[in-house]
Amino acid sequence: MRARRQSRSHRPLVRFLLRRLGALVLLLIGITLISFLLTQAVPGDAAIANLGQHPTEESIRAFNEKYGLDDPLPVQYATYLGNLVQGDLGISQQTHQPVVDDLSVSIPATAELAIFAIVFSTIFGVAFGVLAALRRDTAVDHGLRVFTLAGISVPMFWLGLLGLYLFFFKWGLLPGGGRLDPTTTPPTDVTGLNTVDALLDGNFATFWDAFKHLILPGAVLVLYSVSLISRYTRSAVLEVLHADYVRAARAKGLSEYTVVTRYILRAALPSIVTVMGLVFANVLAGAVLVENIFNWPGIGQYAYRSAVSLDLPAIMGVSIFIALVYVIVNLIVDLLYAVIDPRVRLS
Amino acid sequence: MTPLLELEGLSIRLPTPSGPRAVVHEVDLAVEAGQIYGIAGESGSGKTMTMLSLLGLLPRGGSAHGGARFDGRDILGAGKKERQALRGRELSMVFQDPMTSLHPMLTVGKQLTEHARKHLGISKAEASARAAQMLEEVRIPDGEAALRAYPHEFSGGMRQRIAIAIALMCEPQVLIADEPTTALDVTVQAGILQLLDRLRREKGMAVVLITHDLGVMSSIAERISVMYAGRVIESGDARDVLKAPSHPYTRGLLGALPQPGDGAGSELKSIPGVPASPLDPPRGCAFHPRCALAVDACREAVPPLLRRGDHAAACIVTMRDVDPASKEAIA
Amino acid sequence: MRRFKRGGGDAAAKPARAWWRAPTMLVGLTIAAIWVIVAIFGPLLAPHDPLAQEFAITQAPSGAHPFGTDELGRDILSRVIVAARNSLPLAVLLVVCAGGLGTALGVIAGYVGGWVDGVIMRLADLFSAFPAIVLAMVVTASLGPSTRNAVLALVTVTWPIYARVVRSLVLSIGQSEYVQAFRLHGASARRAMWKEVLPNVVGPITVLATIYLADALLLLAGLSFLGLGTQPPTPEWGSMISVGTQYFQNWWMATFPGLAIFSAALAFNFIGDGLRDVFDPQSQVGSGARGSDPVAEEREA
């Protein structure tokens, strides 16, 4: 007859979380291993690469000893893991600062950009997607379809350049890069996000300056993400639009607004959450290109510089951090599924 | 006595790739208060569409024409808000597949109370109390816990009971049940039908039972209309129609039902041919290509409903003794 | 689980959508065809030698040089044309390699199941935990920037998408009744795979590949832009844009290669979109996205 019910609906959720956390730990270990192995694949000598043209035997030996580069590989790996757990990611061979410090400076910059992009693209993306689905096969739907296809076809770096050329160079409407005007004093560092910090300071001029600098790089990221979200939302809504329970909801006399929000959107939510995970990945990846063009001192820039200068600790640090973020985002996404769809909690 | 639900010459047009086509033609129907009215017919005969049009739930681009009156009020011409106020409140519907007609992510309690709160303006607590009581009436145990549960935690039969409870929350005058037992096991079917009958009697509610299964029909229906290719081809008192069907199609349907008396090895009788599509029916009587009694005249014009007392059938052959002048539309 | 849904409310046929899609599909095919021709006949079509540094530097577009000249005095139009020979086949190569690897692993994972499935899926998770560009950067930086390494790096990051989709396809087909009927007839597992499963996988994979072709193009261009892909002086759209960044005021240097990438990617996306409608209108496979619907996969697993 009736399926056996859980005594408390919280238990499956907790077990679900624990399972996922376990997978996360495994994944992280795998990531550190891969990062480590990759950096070992670097041909040439790190010491020579970092010490300049003709380093002496002495300095090479000192360098190797300092960074433990003479130890056998497993030992090096174990040392690294040990340090990692204590929060020590090593010293960047470029900046000569602890990698952790470098990261803590560059992360908020990218975070600000990412949050800007995600917030705007979600609002507009979901709205467009729902609109396209409800007005299926009309001019609105087709127009949006062409627009979103174009949105995912534009190379981000090119769009950024185009934007810079038009809005900065030709029309002088927006700043040409960086996070703040050179003449503007940065706000008190609370979150690291200039816009938020400026508001906390009550300084609207600074806020506006920071915001203006966000617009162009943000817009570039938004274009791609909006297109992605809009397409996914549209197809998710279409899938549930003709569901029996939607018809049953109307048959109960619920208002069209309730039907769309409580019945249709709710059912489409899992798919929308899926695409949010993808959007996050895309924003991170896009950040690398966008920060490069707009001179934005974020993780993307840091990753790029570390990669080309073969700064091993930095590379590993960045890789691990980005992978960690990615994995956490996926975990959150999985959690959200369980929260949104009670059927998932059973599995 | 004025019928509670009255359809007069109801026709429905739906959009097709080749333009709007009629899928339901000139349906006449009258349901009295407290009556169980059965609409029989195969899938595609238009029975569900007819009822959907009353609720204003036709697919995009569909339109209904003719007369449809609920409690004396015209519902086809009514405005959107009026129809919304009617749905789920005075006129409720239970759908066929209980596995998909409940929202998987909303609690049973939510789905029971949301429309009741909207229509009746009652508080959350009141609505929940009423919901728990309704669950008890449909024999779902542990109503309080059930309110917090989700549909997937219940079996098909129980979900259908929940759907019925939802439909009854605002004490409607008419409950439309579209194939309520078709997706359920036979063992569960009887329970659902008994439930409908009992609720009908207790609440004085009319039930429109749509089904292709004449066995189901015979157990509780009082009056029956049989539809074929979008038209009503026979109607009358349930016993009359089922014991002594006048239309060859109804006869064929009943003849096809295996009887307990049939010996083992006896052939399954079926109506030859395939059901006519309401979009493109044969000329004249839609049934004539499959009919053993068909004559030339059957090909020429759509036969009107000819009445013999309370019992009407749209067949010029079996009803040839009837005076055509008495063909006014009846229930 | 199949459920027979009676479409009581759908008696009317849905308005035919296919022909509406045709305009974008046609445009896509036309543009793609143009690029294919350009790629094949590149050197013949180019008015000048793309490597010849014989003209006045940084000339704005004019009659003699419709796309202008670059900082070394080379004709940009010729370079854009010849770059097609590099960029487009590379994108195809990337998709074919990643798709092939991903399909193979996905089929194995789906069909064999068990711990093999687990291992492959964990690997897929691992490799897609890095955003493509980052891993690609690290790989090319450590192995040395070159075309070959760029493709290698990108294959490593993009195969999981195909693998996941193929695996869930194989799982759902394998469970379908007609394959089970097939096996009931005593057919061996391998025959079942070849005859029933694989043919049904090819369709969706082709659609997937077309959709990701645009992505591949953008990824490769991005890597080249960062200096980690095709190295100069070989003309490549991405690296041309990178140079254009430095010669910012000479807008033509970055604009035309960018338009080339955009038009090609757009064409592929139009085609992929149209194909997906033909083969699987209800598909959840999004264009330009990584990964497929994990919720559906949850249910399969």
Side-chain angles (χ1 to χ4, degrees):
Chain A
M1 277 281 261
R2 183 168 161 191
R4 211 158 56 87
R5 285 197 56 222
Q6 278 70 23
S7 47
R8 279 166 47 215
S9 53
H10 293 306
R11 268 241 231 100
L13 214 59
V14 171
R15 267 188 286 140
F16 185 77
L17 201 94
L18 285 176
R19 264 210 323 248
R20 282 289 186 252
L21 272 176
L24 185 150
V25 170
L26 273 171
L27 208 56
L28 282 177
I29 293 179
I31 289 166
T32 54
L33 197 58
I34 289 193
S35 312
F36 182 74
L37 290 173
L38 263 181
T39 53
Q40 294 309 311
V42 174
D45 204 299
I48 296 178
N50 276 280
L51 290 176
Q53 297 287 15
H54 301 286
T56 61
E57 279 288 327
E58 187 65 42
S59 53
I60 294 178
R61 224 178 319 126
F63 185 90
N64 284 342
E65 189 155 343
K66 180 173 174 204
Y67 289 107
L69 296 176
D70 281 334
D71 300 331
L73 280 186
V75 175
Q76 286 191 45
Y77 181 60
T79 326
Y80 188 83
L81 272 187
N83 291 336
L84 182 67
V85 175
Q86 293 171 37
D88 176 11
L89 286 167
I91 310 282
S92 160
Q93 287 158 11
Q94 292 177 73
T95 64
H96 305 291
Q97 305 282 348
V99 171
V100 190
D101 288 353
D102 285 343
L103 286 179
S104 63
V105 166
S106 38
I107 289 173
T110 307
E112 194 177 23
L113 200 52
I115 293 174
F116 178 92
I118 290 175
V119 164
F120 280 100
S121 53
T122 305
I123 296 175
F124 286 103
V126 171
F128 288 160
V130 169
L131 190 65
L134 291 179
R135 303 258 179 281
R136 185 197 201 170
D137 287 338
T138 59
V140 169
D141 186 20
H142 291 301
L144 268 163
R145 192 168 57 86
V146 173
F147 172 75
T148 53
L149 281 174
I152 56 179
S153 308
V154 177
M156 271 198 219
F157 48 95
W158 181 64
L159 188 65
L161 279 175
L162 211 60
L164 265 180
Y165 183 81
L166 288 175
F167 289 93
F168 167 64
F169 189 67
K170 243 188 146 193
W171 298 330
L173 289 172
L174 290 170
R179 296 183 71 190
L180 288 171
D181 226 37
T183 57
T184 317
T185 15
T188 0
D189 188 357
V190 176
T191 61
L193 308 178
N194 286 341
T195 41
V196 173
D197 290 341
L199 281 177
L200 288 176
D201 269 352
N203 189 335
F204 289 109
T206 313
F207 169 78
W208 181 236
D209 188 39
F211 191 81
K212 267 201 301 187
H213 281 80
L214 264 178
I215 293 180
L216 222 37
V220 171
L221 289 173
V222 165
L223 181 65
Y224 192 93
S225 309
V226 151
S227 306
L228 209 58
I229 295 177
S230 166
R231 292 179 70 77
Y232 260 69
T233 305
R234 178 185 180 274
S235 74
V237 170
L238 280 179
E239 275 223 1
V240 301
L241 207 51
H242 297 291
D244 277 353
Y245 50 80
V246 172
R247 186 173 61 166
R250 291 206 178 95
K252 289 203 289 200
L254 295 174
S255 72
E256 196 58 28
Y257 176 77
T258 312
V259 171
V260 170
T261 50
R262 196 183 297 159
Y263 275 73
I264 296 178
L265 262 183
R266 185 82 191 260
L269 218 45
S271 299
I272 297 179
V273 165
T274 307
V275 78
M276 293 313 295
L278 295 169
V279 163
F280 208 91
N282 270 293
V283 164
L284 267 178
V288 173
L289 294 164
V290 165
E291 286 179 8
N292 193 292
I293 296 178
F294 288 94
N295 224 350
W296 196 269
I299 289 276
Q301 279 270 52
Y302 190 64
Y304 175 63
R305 291 213 194 102
S306 317
V308 294
S309 59
L310 296 181
D311 182 347
L312 306 183
I315 292 176
M316 282 187 74
V318 168
S319 308
I320 290 170
F321 171 73
I322 292 184
L324 180 69
V325 166
Y326 199 115
V327 162
I328 291 180
V329 166
N330 277 325
L331 183 71
I332 294 178
V333 163
D334 280 339
L335 256 182
L336 280 176
Y337 287 144
V339 165
I340 293 172
D341 190 346
R343 296 169 292 181
V344 172
R345 298 176 206 167
L346 282 180
S347 58
Chain B
M1 187 167 48
T2 344
L4 187 51
L5 184 62
E6 204 174 350
L7 305 181
E8 214 176 303
L10 180 69
S11 299
I12 298 175
R13 275 203 277 273
L14 292 178
T16 67
S18 40
R21 300 288 272 277
V23 291
V24 169
H25 313 263
E26 308 282 316
V27 166
D28 296 328
L29 218 68
V31 180
E32 311 280 344
Q35 184 182 56
I36 296 196
Y37 198 104
I39 304 183
E42 291 158 327
S43 35
S45 56
K47 37 192 214 304
T48 307
M49 224 19 101
T50 310
M51 291 298 121
L52 283 178
S53 71
L54 297 180
L55 289 170
L57 293 178
L58 289 176
R60 211 213 302 197
S63 58
H65 312 266
R69 276 183 297 280
F70 178 80
D71 208 6
R73 305 181 315 243
D74 171 33
I75 43 176
L76 284 187
K80 237 172 78 172
K81 283 282 189 235
E82 259 189 84
R83 301 191 85 169
Q84 228 175 59
L86 202 67
R87 297 202 283 258
R89 187 182 184 167
E90 299 183 75
L91 198 56
S92 274
M93 190 155 175
V94 173
F95 295 91
Q96 178 185 322
D97 190 352
M99 305 304 263
T100 56
S101 54
L102 296 172
H103 197 297
M105 301 174 194
L106 298 173
T107 60
V108 165
K110 183 73 178 179
Q111 300 190 54
L112 277 164
T113 55
E114 55 185 346
H115 62 299
R117 293 196 64 196
K118 180 189 177 219
H119 287 311
L120 306 173
I122 53 182
S123 73
K124 197 163 162 195
E126 264 186 88
S128 294
R130 190 191 262 242
Q133 195 190 358
M134 202 54 77
L135 286 178
E136 207 185 294
E137 295 213 33
V138 297
R139 306 283 189 264
I140 301 265
D142 199 1
E144 291 291 334
L147 288 180
R148 289 191 300 271
Y150 289 92
H152 68 270
E153 302 180 57
F154 296 92
S155 69
M158 306 214 94
R159 285 194 228 190
Q160 196 65 305
R161 288 171 186 269
I162 294 173
I164 293 173
I166 292 176
L168 294 177
M169 275 295 285
C170 302
E171 315 225 301
Q173 299 192 56
V174 178
L175 173 69
I176 303 170
D178 188 2
E179 308 268 10
T181 54
T182 307
L184 301 172
D185 287 337
V186 173
T187 49
V188 175
Q189 275 181 18
I192 299 286
L193 292 174
Q194 277 165 28
L195 176 67
L196 285 174
D197 198 18
R198 177 174 58 83
L199 290 169
R200 186 256 322 194
R201 270 181 281 117
E202 283 173 12
K203 309 207 181 266
M205 176 180 73
V207 174
V208 177
L209 180 63
I210 302 175
T211 179
H212 65 283
D213 187 340
L214 290 178
V216 163
M217 202 67 95
S218 63
S219 50
I220 55 172
E222 290 167 347
R223 287 195 71 82
I224 294 181
S225 280
V226 182
M227 287 184 74
Y228 186 80
R231 286 178 200 276
V232 173
I233 48 100
E234 179 153 11
S235 76
D237 187 80
R239 261 161 314 178
D240 288 342
V241 172
L242 293 175
K243 284 254 154 50
S246 298
H247 196 285
Y249 172 62
T250 321
R251 290 183 186 168
L253 277 183
L254 282 162
L257 281 177
Q259 298 299 321
D262 291 346
S266 59
E267 271 183 37
L268 277 177
K269 277 171 281 180
S270 65
I271 310 176
V274 288
S277 152
L279 287 172
D280 192 15
R283 277 204 66 193
C285 171
F287 187 63
H288 84 256
R290 311 168 71 191
C291 184
L293 306 175
V295 297
D296 285 336
C298 296
R299 248 177 297 264
E300 273 150 42
V302 175
L305 268 174
L306 298 167
R307 180 150 60 109
R308 201 184 279 134
D310 200 18
H311 190 159
C315 182
I316 56 179
V317 173
T318 58
M319 307 289 277
R320 59 178 162 272
D321 55 306
V322 169
D323 174 8
S326 68
K327 67 167 163 72
E328 321 154 8
I330 57 149
Chain C
M1 184 184 26
R2 291 274 154 86
R3 222 175 285 121
F4 174 63
K5 251 216 220 139
R6 306 186 79 211
D10 280 324
K14 291 194 171 90
R17 296 195 321 274
W19 66 274
W20 261 114
R21 299 288 188 193
T24 45
M25 179 91 152
L26 281 175
V27 169
L29 283 169
T30 316
I31 299 179
I34 294 177
W35 277 119
V36 167
I37 294 175
V38 168
I40 296 177
F41 296 106
L44 297 173
L45 292 170
H48 306 282
D49 178 1
L51 300 176
Q53 305 173 8
E54 44 190 50
F55 305 104
I57 61 168
T58 62
Q59 290 292 301
S62 62
H65 300 282
F67 285 3
T69 62
D70 68 4
E71 82 289 2
L72 294 176
R74 296 175 289 201
D75 175 41
I76 292 182
L77 174 61
S78 313
R79 286 180 67 78
V80 168
I81 290 177
V82 173
R85 309 194 95 199
N86 294 316
S87 311
L88 294 176
L90 273 181
V92 172
L93 182 68
L94 175 58
V95 164
V96 164
C97 290
L101 180 63
T103 306
L105 287 175
V107 164
I108 295 173
Y111 211 79
V112 175
W115 65 269
V116 173
D117 181 15
V119 165
I120 294 183
M121 281 299 109
R122 291 306 131 236
L123 278 176
D125 286 341
L126 197 57
F127 281 101
S128 51
F130 287 82
I133 288 267
V134 175
L135 185 55
M137 275 194 321
V138 175
V139 168
T140 45
S142 43
L143 296 179
S146 78
T147 317
R148 188 197 63 164
N149 291 336
V151 173
L152 192 69
L154 289 175
V155 167
T156 337
V157 216
T158 48
W159 71 263
I161 312 165
Y162 305 90
R164 283 206 194 99
V165 174
V166 169
R167 172 183 172 272
S168 95
L169 268 175
V170 168
L171 281 179
S172 65
I173 295 174
Q175 282 169 16
S176 76
E177 284 142 8
Y178 72 95
V179 169
Q180 288 183 9
F182 199 84
R183 294 177 78 164
L184 269 178
H185 280 269
S188 78
R190 202 174 317 141
R191 274 196 77 209
M193 172 133 76
W194 284 114
K195 288 216 81 170
E196 295 297 331
V197 174
L198 276 183
N200 283 292
V201 166
V202 168
I205 281 297
T206 319
V207 177
L208 203 62
T210 327
I211 289 174
Y212 286 120
L213 200 53
D215 251 16
L217 190 64
L218 291 173
L219 276 173
L220 282 165
L223 271 186
S224 298
F225 173 77
L226 294 172
L228 299 172
T230 311
Q231 297 298 298
T234 318
E236 208 277 346
W237 290 329
S239 49
M240 287 169 74
I241 296 180
S242 168
V243 171
T245 321
Q246 291 151 21
Y247 292 82
F248 189 65
Q249 317 86 298
N250 305 330
W251 58 269
W252 56 93
M253 290 179 67
T255 307
F256 294 108
L259 274 175
I261 301 177
F262 176 53
S263 62
L266 191 66
F268 295 146
N269 272 322
F270 275 171
I271 296 174
D273 191 51
L275 273 184
R276 194 186 44 192
D277 263 2
V278 168
F279 279 100
D280 189 10
Q282 294 287 61
S283 167
Q284 274 278 48
V285 177
S287 314
R290 312 278 137 80
S292 56
D293 185 351
V295 181
E297 279 177 55
E298 271 291 332
R299 309 234 179 94
E300 304 285 5

